[in-house]
Amino acid sequence: MQELMKAKAQEMLSNGSVTRVLAWKKGDFETNPEPAFFTKHVDDMVYNQYCATNLSNFMVGVEKEEGKTLVFLKPCDTFSFNQLLKENRISRDKAYIIGVGCEGVKVIDEMQETGALLEKCNVCTKIKHMVYDELIGEDVTRRVTDDPLTRFKDIEAIEKMDAGERFAFWQGEFSKCIRCNACRNACPPCGCKKCVFDNDNYDTAQKANVTTFEEQMFHIIRAYHVAGRCTDCGECTRVCPQDIPLHLLNRKFIKDINALYGEFQAGADIETLGPLTDFNIDQDAEPSIVYDRG
Amino acid sequence: MYKIDKDNLPELFKFLTKNGTDVFAPVRKGNQVNFESFTDEVASTLDLDTLKTVRSPKDFVLPQVEHLFDATIENKQIKLETSPLADKPYVIFGVRPCDVKGIEVLDNVYLKDPVDKFYQARRAQGVIISLACTNPQQTCFCKSFNIDAANPQGDIAIWLINDSLNWKSLTDKGANLTTQVKHLLQESSDIDEVEACQKDIQLKIDALPYSRGLPLDKFTPDKLLEIFNDARWDELSKACIACGTCTFICPTCQCYDVKDYDAGKKVKRYRCWDSCMYSDFTLMAHGNSRNTQKERFRQRYMHKLVYHPDKHHGEFSCVGCGRCVNKCPSSLNIVKVIKSFEVDN
Amino acid sequence: MTNMSRDVLHTLSSTSIEKCMSCGRCSASCPVADEMNIMPHQFVALLKRREVEKLMESNTLWKCLSCFACIERCPRGVEPAKIVEASRLAVIRQQGESHISADEIPKYLESESDLPQQLLVSAFRKYRG
Amino acid sequence: MKRIGVFVCHCGTNIAATVDVVKVVEAAKLEPGVVHAAEYPYLCSEAGQNMIIKAVDEFGLTGVVVSACSPRMHETTFRKAAAKAGLNPFMVEISNIREQCSWIHKDSKDGTEKSIILTRAAIAKVHLNEPLHPGESKVTKRALVIGGGIAGIQTALDIAEAGFPVDIVESTPSIGGKMAQLDKTFPTLDCSACILTPKMVDAAAHENITLHTYSEIEKVEGFVGDFTITIRKKARYVDMKNCTGCGLCYEKCPVKKAPSEFEQGLIKRTAIYTPFAQAVPNVPVIDKTQCIKLKTGKCGLCEKVCTPKAIVFDQQDELITEKYGAVIIATGYDQISLEKFGEYSYNSPDVITGLEFERLTNAAGPTGGDLIRLSDKKKPRSVTFIQCIGSRDTSKRGKPYCSKICCMYTAKHAMLIRDKYPQIEVNVFYIDVRTPGKNFDEFYRRSAEEYGVNYIKGQVGKIIDQGEFLTLQSVDMLGGKRMDLQTDLVVLATAIEPVKSVRIIASMLTASIDTNNFMTEAHPKLKPVESPTAGVFLSGVCQGPKDIPETVAQAGATAAKVIGLLVKDKLMTNPCTAESNEKFCNGCSACTKVCPYGAIAYDDGIVHVNKALCQGCGACAVTCPSGAMDLQGFSNRQLMAEVDAICR
Amino acid sequence: MSVGEFKPLVVAFCCNWCSYAGADLAGTSRLQYPAEVKIIKVPCSCRVNPLFVLRAFQKGADGVIICGCHPGDCHYSTGNYYTRRRITLLYSMLDYLGIEKGRTHLEWVSAAEGVKFATVMNKFVEQVYELGENRRLEDWRCKS
């Protein structure tokens, strides 16, 4: 598949139909390819099970540069592409998308495989590309589970705990946070030009978690701001140097939204109104449902 | 040279804690090993085998958040109250040679005048017990910065050889700690056991992929402008997502920002780690002198490889611990940067 | 008996008599009101003026069938039947003896009068301390 | 640097009774930025306001905090005072230490401490206030009256008299409303039709008034001064221009099954009908659920006999969209349904409601005005009225309020019977007769004293229809005895409630409405005829139970308010509108999706707020993740400053 | 915090058109509710940003209650529909993180429901009393 991709990329670069190619470049280890833009040749372009990055996030950066960009997107990355498209952060005509098959991304620690796949790949149901101009090798995409509810298992486990246990669990996780903002910057919808936490204009600027409250505040507000926009692409959990299971926060909002307001997959299309910019006069539950459902 | 069995380490720690010295040792929690305060509960999860802790021991000398002073206002009169300096002795056990050098790099910055009295107080209270790296990892490249993983520095050096620790104090701080715990140590003279272990470590280090020597000679202060204006920075920095991971886990990154917090009844001024990767780093009255990510990315490596050595007689502000190699979301790191300057264009 | 203040009755009947606007619908709906010497609306009015003795001596306590028509029809939610019931219980407990004794029951059972047992059981409940 | 003046009001004893005003002033003085603090017994008084104006000059104040009653009472008063002193009115903040503090906390320590905190919050907010200047928006000089009863007609006439065009939208085929159904009106007993029809004709003839009968409101957009409203004129199947109102069509119509709404269902009406003889416009309507031609295509008799060929069977509903500056709700009332009141056996033909009695005794009514029992058509020997049916009832069955008009119209009915048929015995069961108007009590006493109406203090528990007569299981409370009164005809003074459709109209106009479906007025005493929603006015029973004299008086008041609005060329718009900071806007346009007024437009990467459309609700400011969108007057910093001050 | 008997601090966000007017009505009807409740006026319940709710807890509040118009009565027609979704998700997340449910509440109160306003406030403050001081969502710097 990699060879097919390189050939296609080189062809489009040379015939000028695209100005740059966004893919992965060989790292100095076999296991650490890095996202890169190719403008002349694609010799050291690679595509394997270590290419984890969600390249849609980088399309925002090149939006202003002239010329088209050829980008290779895994099925789950295409949801993020649609989400960015819906919020006018990128334009469809500036991208030539080749959907590539994905056999699951391997977890790397100290440049070695740990034998496991990324958390999102173990519960992956996003096997179809949402938006693409061309497909390469889409049949290799591994089908993990048909039951879309497997991804909520860990959340149900936490929900079953009593309030004290939940608080202790999250206190333990949040206390590990060093506010490196990797989760924020790697998250396609969480890409404000100026984040409220960096912006002293609104008295909410916060550079470090000075107290346990600020740890909670950062993660609650970050998850809240992407609620209804998060495509569950798993980048936040992957990039967190402290291995905090951040997907458990965003996916909790997804679980609530699906339960309360009907099944919604961000990035599935660019028309449907996001759950938090929409309402249903008679069916929306009252906030007290949170207290009644035990 | 002394010896102590690995199993009665906890007893040693308990002894130290009893007479007023905090003990921090690498403890495994989930799949992460970090320096934690040593208590009975964590005794079982003491982990001397994992090479590197996720967060560097920098935390103990330059914590992420440090309160400087409180300002209160009484009937329109302002009163300042500075925070007390660190006054409790502590021991950090199991510091790897690269991290020991990292702390030394920080010393060269914070203890030169004007001396940072908060840092100085913390540093004075601390005793560093280093541990030789019996199994270095792929991402290590401390050799390039002529750090000898085989004989670690710090106040006390330790070699862990089949479950017994060879304990050698190097400084007087180390010496008087050794006298304190003398009754738990046994005299030992078999130096050759240690030397064998050192040779074994050096062999392993040489076999590491990064050990065949990085072209650090390209980075000399006089080439500053040439490197600064090099075109490669564009391409190198394209994939950087401007998060602060590399700076916060790096043992030698030393920049901080000073912030105020209005806590209602008083205003608390504190300093906290800052990252040159952030958009509001070096945000001055007129704005930010580095507006693009390329400039911020370049600043980080120029500081580590050119500006810092220029001011500290050639000492690089990197100790080759490899944490950034392992943790960068886009797999960028200092090794790739150095290697990319191998061939001058 | 006299110190049986309004508050005791008030709590016993667990209904607030201040809501009564004396419209008279309770008495109008009461099937046995004409046999009572103190009609339900008067009962509530007297209770408001704390004239508790009159209530205790009235035959209303024993005439009331607890059919709850008055509660059903009262537009202000005053529940007069509960007040009557509370007063009746107060009287029974006060005097220590009850209006009906156990040994009277058998004669109702055997005789040809086809009194439904349920009536006897409820009478027993109502009229014994 | 901000120079803030704090003024704490005693409000006589309303505040001073449970709040130590002096302590509040002392505490305010310690707040940063406060250069002057004072207290005064009545700040809203002339002298109080002058004190503030003088202080603004003397201390060069840039911000004013008034700790007094609710901002809903005197915010505008204090803002006007500040404006007089040359200070921008939006640099004034009110902290509510009366309704939300002194009146609800008995303990003076708590009250004082809370007042200090609330004042401190207002000071924190004023620090961040910026001068705001209301924008302007145009005023369409046209009014819309929803509802064609006496309230709607009178309001429309008064507005039209002032020279402004008015449209009346009436859901039934003719204007006139409930008043057209009445026989006589109290207290002067003049014939209802005689005083109403001239007004109806004036309304139809007035060049400034256009009637849209048999029509409903379809859609409302816009806001005060600039409403865009779509009216659905339901198809009448009769061409209004060339119909002469000769009435041949409804004489010939073979279908006579539907109960006549106007006659309260006492008789049936034809498929093509006009509600009543003096209908305005006097153009019939075909009821498509009854008309054979429309249902099956046969018949069409009316079309054949209609000389001017006015019948149009394929007529469609017509949608008219019009711009208005003001909307008046005059939807009137209905009697509540009695199906939950089984005890009055309303299903018996001889138990009727007040309105049905009006039709029975009306000369133009189904029986030509003579009073008969509907069961056996005989003249009743005795008629009994029962008051407060469903009114003053806090159980779920009825309405908690008093319907106000029943005591008077029952006295009127009783008096009319005794006058026309002296031999009929008339009883009235009452709880208390409420006749508080001018000449009202005299009217009621005349019916009791001169006409011998038998008023019985008591109520009816149950009505049993025994064929020739009805038995009323009742009580005579003064006599202290239960009675089983026999009578021939029972008239129930049934409670009234606003028409059901008012709730839909209210939500379309976003006008607030209370749990009894009465429209909520902006302020019961200070602004009784306006809804809190600017540009929406209330006339008639939709705002609360009232009789015809009050309705006409209120209609005049409403008209005056509307004229006050329409006479202006431009309106000051609410300056507390949203504003987007282009530096931080991501262009994600989530705000455009939540704006109820479509006031935000996205173009080329950023959004712009149309200040004229924005009403300042703030939904966009919260949807915006980066905080680029903020709301002037209630900005993120201001609200957070208030939270900080309160929690300090 | 005052030493001795614990006095909770409750911040109430009331929408200007309905619940603030309801609060005023409770005032004019002299209906007592605890002084611990402090009301902040917002144009509409949809103006309450989760940041404000968390800010209140950070600065020392022990309970936060948001009041708005009944759905359908909103002066801005759709404002409270958005509030309903946002606040349900926020409260669900706070509960998910182990914060006691009793600390947060939302109530629709119309301008005519003075009695309801007072009862809701009394009930909520009592509920916060039982929970005691807010420990799980506090910022110790704002406490000493």
Side-chain angles (χ1 to χ4, degrees), chain D residues 408 433-447 449:
Chain D
M408 275 306 284
V433 178
R434 294 178 169 186
T435 50
K438 185 176 172 184
N439 295 327
F440 275 21
D441 204 61
E442 298 88 330
F443 179 84
Y444 149 57
R445 287 320 300 165
R446 211 163 72 240
S447 94
E449 291 154 18

Side-chain angles (χ1 to χ4, degrees), chain D residues 332-354:
Chain D
Y333 68 91
D334 281 324
Q335 291 190 324
I336 67 168
S337 105
L338 290 175
E339 97 244 338
K340 290 211 193 84
F341 292 88
E343 65 263 36
Y344 299 118
S345 33
Y346 175 57
N347 43 28
S348 136
D350 298 329
V351 176
I352 58 173
T353 66

